[in-house]
DNA sequence: GTCTATATTCAGATAGAC
DNA sequence: GTCTATCTGAATATAGAC
């Protein structure tokens, strides 16, 4: 991780350690003193380099999201060029959007699991400046991917696709945040809150393998209207074993 | 909502307004002075009634989660008695767990959308005392529902079911939190951050109708191993229109 | 760019009168 | 139970020497 590199650049050191502290204690729960003392730099350096604590948080995210969302746009553009005008498959769109994010978990150069967890935890922060910041950072990439999903699922009402994109973001966000009741109870998870897991990279890989099928299953689930219609016609009685056997 | 009732009980008034303020600004972002001045009670009353700010947050959640999780256990027990030893359907288990929660959104007596949003936002809070509190509050209900899902899906590896329960909790949590980038961009959502939406109850109902099929689709998605096997045998090429037409 | 020292505000908590 | 007044610590931010 970054703290082993002995980065001599004060600005980058602050960003690296702010990322860790914000991840572990949240924005409001982290003081600038915690960050600067962990990073071994002077307190006043934060205001010199970033203007304010808010400015620091924004820069922490801009550094990572700039790369991530640029990559997402690039990958989607490449896929669309290869498809030569035909719609992409839903699985391709999801892989481009969520796969690109999840691979950061295995890649410390772009933040690794520390950044993923920070992102997951911050996406539900109610602070106004955080929400408007995310909105502007994500605007372009969300718009492009929404359109790609509309094309990939031409027979599904667009409002429904937006709902499901919303749910997929939630499942992903919460999973990478790694702070839920299940983890505390079952011990299953993607690392401990204190910092790195012993084997964060293989955990990140397992997470991606489990999450992608779930998201695709949710996206392609029967619509509420279809379910209601089916129920009227003949009440369904699905067997649990369908799930394990199905290879369609 | 509660603030219209002119609740004369100081203790309950504090809980009602703490719920609103914590929802809107987060735990760390809300001061006791914000809560007491909004509630029109004395600052010292919080420490008198709840001992500390942490004690107040715990009581805010205990009041709602006590009822919710009791209800969840009761509903599951009833379903299992009716089934007379046969496994429940996955959809029944999900309806009991998530449906019971989502109906709170239409029921101000148990917190309404204010509480749902607070819950969604707080479930990813990294603060240690919050995480351990939730873990103990949820331990019993999670254990019971995990076992119900194991019985409902006997052919699916248990670890896989736990992963998917985790993802479902995430999709639900984020959806009820109502603070994501999509909402800001699309305007679609379950209400504004300032407080109630104009029609919070019908929004809550729409959310439940959209979320339940998504969760069921995710839970029942092909397993990663099955997908890999299918891909080896014959690369899938699903049509997008499957989704809209399928009535199985 | 980096540091010390400090200004200013605000937080949670409590003592003690009523 | 409720109130006023206050203690104590900690937060962000900045002025100004080096």
């Amino acid at each position: 991780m970054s703290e082993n590199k002995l980065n001599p650049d004060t600005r980058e050191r602050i960003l690296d350690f702010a990322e860790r502290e914000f991840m572990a204690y949240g924005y409001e729960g982290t003081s600038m003193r915690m960050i600067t003392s962990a990073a071994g730099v002077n307190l006043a350096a934060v205001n010199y380099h970033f203007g304010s604590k808010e400015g620091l948080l924004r820069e922490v995210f801009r550094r990572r999201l700039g790369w991530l969302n640029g990559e997402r746009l690039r990958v989607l553009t490449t896929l669309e060029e290869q498809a030569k005008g035909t719609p992409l498959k839903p699985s391709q769109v999801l892989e481009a959007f969520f796969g690109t994010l999840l691979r950061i978990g295995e890649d410390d150069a772009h933040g690794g699991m520390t950044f993923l967890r920070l992102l997951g935890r911050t996406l539900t922060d109610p602070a106004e400046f955080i929400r408007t910041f995310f909105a502007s950072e994500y605007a372009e990439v969300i718009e492009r991917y929404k359109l790609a999903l509309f094309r990939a699922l031409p027979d599904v009402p667009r409002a429904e696709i937006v709902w499901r994109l919303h749910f997929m973001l939630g499942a992903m966000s919460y999973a990478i945040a790694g702070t839920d009741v299940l983890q505390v109870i079952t011990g299953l998870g993607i690392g401990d809150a204190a910092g790195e897991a012993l084997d964060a990279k293989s955990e990140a890989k397992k997470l991606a393998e489990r999450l992608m099928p779930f998201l695709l299953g949710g996206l392609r689930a029967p619509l509420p209207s279809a379910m209601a219609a089916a129920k009227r016609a003949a009440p369904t009685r699905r067997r649990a074993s369908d799930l394990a056997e199905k290879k369609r």
Side-chain angles (χ1 to χ4, degrees), chain A:
Chain A
M1 298 290 297
S2 354
E3 63 272 36
N4 297 328
K5 284 190 202 159
L6 282 188
N7 193 332
D9 184 346
T10 298
R11 203 189 120 93
E12 289 290 313
R13 278 185 68 82
I14 293 174
L15 290 175
D16 290 344
F17 283 87
E19 191 167 74
R20 287 187 72 75
E21 302 289 304
F22 284 144
M23 178 275 286
Y25 307 105
Y27 175 72
E28 297 272 5
T30 304
S31 71
M32 289 173 25
R33 282 171 173 82
M34 290 164 70
I35 295 167
T36 51
S37 72
V41 305
N42 189 273
L43 172 62
V46 171
N47 284 289
Y48 176 78
H49 286 284
F50 306 101
S52 66
K53 189 185 175 185
E54 291 194 4
L56 171 59
L57 184 75
R58 272 190 286 260
E59 194 52 37
V60 165
F61 278 102
R62 226 191 309 266
R63 180 173 71 152
R64 305 300 189 194
L65 292 180
W67 179 86
L68 169 63
N69 285 336
E71 192 70 7
R72 280 167 162 169
L73 292 174
R74 199 187 61 71
V75 171
L76 185 58
T77 299
T78 302
L79 285 175
E80 287 173 338
E81 284 172 0
Q82 288 172 348
K84 299 185 209 294
T86 65
L88 299 175
K89 291 191 295 179
S91 62
Q92 289 180 296
V93 181
L94 295 198
E95 165 57 27
F97 189 87
F98 294 100
T100 302
L101 174 93
L102 292 169
R103 272 188 295 278
I104 287 182
E106 308 167 53
D107 180 4
D108 287 346
H110 295 109
M113 285 308 301
T114 301
F115 173 67
L116 283 195
R117 256 176 240 147
L118 171 65
L119 180 62
R121 290 171 190 191
T122 311
L123 279 172
T124 52
D125 195 300
E128 190 59 29
F129 88 93
I130 295 179
R131 300 186 53 182
T132 59
F133 170 73
F134 276 132
S136 76
E137 283 288 311
Y138 270 93
E140 187 184 357
V141 82
I142 290 280
E143 196 54 33
R144 282 282 308 278
Y145 274 84
K146 251 173 50 185
L147 293 177
L149 283 178
F150 291 164
R151 295 197 65 211
L153 299 164
D155 300 323
V156 180
R158 294 186 167 197
E160 206 69 40
I161 293 176
V162 175
W163 277 99
R164 292 188 175 188
L165 179 53
H166 180 69
F167 298 145
M168 291 189 289
L169 285 169
M172 175 275 288
S173 169
Y174 192 81
I176 63 179
T179 51
D180 74 333
V181 292
L182 251 185
Q183 293 197 346
V184 181
I185 294 164
T186 64
L188 176 94
I190 55 177
D192 63 312
E196 315 130 308
L198 285 179
D199 194 358
K201 292 189 190 179
S202 76
E203 294 286 351
K205 201 161 188 173
K206 270 202 298 192
L207 170 63
E209 279 170 14
R210 299 308 188 288
L211 181 57
M212 296 297 303
F214 176 89
L215 297 180
L216 196 58
L219 176 62
R220 298 172 50 89
L223 298 176
S225 55
M227 295 192 75
K231 200 170 266 181
R232 273 195 305 277
T236 52
R237 176 162 293 271
R238 300 192 193 111
R239 290 302 312 140
S241 49
D242 286 359
L243 194 153
E245 292 159 3
K246 199 164 307 182
K247 291 197 185 61
R248 24 154 211 168

